């Protein structure tokens, strides 16, 4: 079951629009701050925050559709610590 959940979440991340995906990966997976992300991607810090929020919302919807709400909430809580 765990492998299936990880595979589904990975697929959901891959389906994000390019900029949302890049911001999400830099913030969540690499632990970068929004200022660092904005410099790396040549976007404003506000845009980086907006794209991250959009990515989280899309991932939440995608996981809800598959009954993975608890997993996503755990993922979201971990992301808040980065």
């Amino acid at each position: 079951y765990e492998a299936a959940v990880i595979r589904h979440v990975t697929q959901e991340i891959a389906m994000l629009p390019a900029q949302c995906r890049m911001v999400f990966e830099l913030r969540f997976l690499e632990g970068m701050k929004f200022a660092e992300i904005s410099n790396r991607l040549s976007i404003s810090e506000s845009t980086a925050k907006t794209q991250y929020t959009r990515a989280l919302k899309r991932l939440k919807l995608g996981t809800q559709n598959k009954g993975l709400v608890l997993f996503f909430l755990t993922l979201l809580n971990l992301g808040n610590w980065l």
Side-chain angles (χ1 to χ4, degrees):
Y1 175 76
E2 188 175 306
V5 170
I6 292 170
R7 185 172 48 252
H8 177 72
V9 172
T10 301
Q11 290 171 344
E12 291 292 329
I13 292 170
M15 292 179 358
L16 291 170
Q19 192 172 47
C20 280
R21 185 179 64 252
M22 288 188 300
V23 169
F24 177 81
E25 289 174 349
L26 293 173
R27 175 76 174 157
F28 189 80
L29 301 176
E30 295 186 28
M32 292 178 73
K33 298 179 185 212
F34 287 115
E36 296 170 317
I37 295 168
S38 67
N39 287 333
R40 164 100 45 105
L41 300 180
S42 299
I43 59 176
S44 71
E45 195 170 332
S46 175
T47 298
K49 289 177 183 179
T50 298
Q51 292 299 313
Y52 185 71
T53 301
R54 287 180 182 166
L56 290 176
K57 286 179 182 178
R58 285 177 182 245
L59 290 172
K60 183 178 177 184
L61 287 173
T63 55
Q64 282 178 338
N65 292 339
K66 297 293 182 182
L68 303 173
V69 176
L70 291 177
F71 177 79
F72 181 77
L73 291 175
T74 301
L75 181 69
L76 182 59
N77 285 334
L78 290 174
N80 288 336
W81 290 100
L82 296 177

